[in-house]
């Protein structure tokens, strides 16, 4: 099973090792595989100071946490996806939160599930009958964690 991670999930995993999100991330069975757009790495770098402050981690602890999380994720260059998936994702997200279209495009392309903590995105996609989106609670239930 393929699970696409959005930025807020990865931020949560790194920022708080004791959170439900983090425990869920590290408890997913081995038959599940994590994916994310490769720009997530850059996004994390842009918000590194904020994450350091929120997490209370030292620079070294942060790098260790980041490495531990990143080794579990397959990063994909969104520019390599066929245009049809990008167009479909833009149509789904344009009136919800356009900046999330890359996560949706990757989910469509991989025929996976999008794990998000973004309630607006989740509700908006569900309203549009896009059912391949999960909250943390749904992910826990799906995988029996």
């Amino acid at each position: 099973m393929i699970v696409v991670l959005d930025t807020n999930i990865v931020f949560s995993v790194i920022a708080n090792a004791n959170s439900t999100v983090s425990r869920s991330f590290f408890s997913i069975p081995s038959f599940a595989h994590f994916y994310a757009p490769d720009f997530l790495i850059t996004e994390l770098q842009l918000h590194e100071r904020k994450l350091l402050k929120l997490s209370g981690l030292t620079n070294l602890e942060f790098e260790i946490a980041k490495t531990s999380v990143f080794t579990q994720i397959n990063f994909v260059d969104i520019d390599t996806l066929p245009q049809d998936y990008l167009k479909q994702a833009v149509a789904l997200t344009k009136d919800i939160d356009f900046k999330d279209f890359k996560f949706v495009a990757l989910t469509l392309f991989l025929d996976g599930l999008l794990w998000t903590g973004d309630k607006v995105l989740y509700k908006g996609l569900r309203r549009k009958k896009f059912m391949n989106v999960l909250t943390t609670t749904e992910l826990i239930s799906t995988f029996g964690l």
Side-chain angles (χ1 to χ4, degrees):
M1 182 173 289
I2 293 171
V3 179
V4 176
L5 306 169
D6 77 1
T7 305
N8 63 49
I9 294 299
V10 176
F11 279 20
S12 295
V13 172
I14 293 172
N16 185 354
N18 296 317
S19 71
T20 301
V21 173
S22 188
R23 286 192 311 274
S24 299
F25 177 86
F26 288 108
S27 298
I28 294 284
S30 61
F31 64 81
H33 303 280
F34 292 124
Y35 286 81
D38 62 355
F39 76 87
L40 189 142
I41 297 167
T42 305
E43 221 176 339
L44 189 74
Q45 290 170 334
L46 292 172
H47 298 286
E48 189 170 316
R49 283 188 194 179
K50 181 180 178 181
L51 274 169
L52 281 166
K53 186 176 179 178
L54 285 172
S55 68
L57 298 172
T58 65
N59 286 337
L60 178 59
E61 291 168 332
F62 177 77
E63 288 302 319
I64 291 169
K66 186 172 71 170
T67 300
S68 141
V69 171
F70 282 7
T71 59
Q72 303 292 319
I73 302 171
N74 298 291
F75 290 99
V76 177
D77 180 355
I78 292 300
D79 294 334
T80 65
L81 299 186
Q83 286 296 311
D84 291 349
Y85 294 101
L86 296 170
K87 288 177 185 174
Q88 188 177 353
V90 166
L92 283 166
T93 59
K94 67 181 177 187
D95 59 344
I96 301 169
D97 191 347
F98 176 73
K99 69 180 180 354
D100 290 322
F101 86 92
K102 294 176 183 180
F103 297 103
V104 175
L106 185 57
T107 303
L108 290 166
F109 176 71
L110 296 172
D111 192 26
L113 299 170
L114 173 59
W115 180 12
T116 184
D118 183 335
K119 292 177 184 174
V120 172
L121 177 64
Y122 174 84
K123 289 177 183 177
L125 290 172
R126 285 291 176 114
R127 256 193 326 272
K128 292 183 176 192
K129 307 297 184 221
F130 182 81
M131 305 311 282
N132 288 20
V133 59
L134 299 172
T135 63
T136 299
T137 302
E138 290 170 333
L139 181 103
I140 290 168
S141 176
T142 298
F143 287 101
L145 304 177

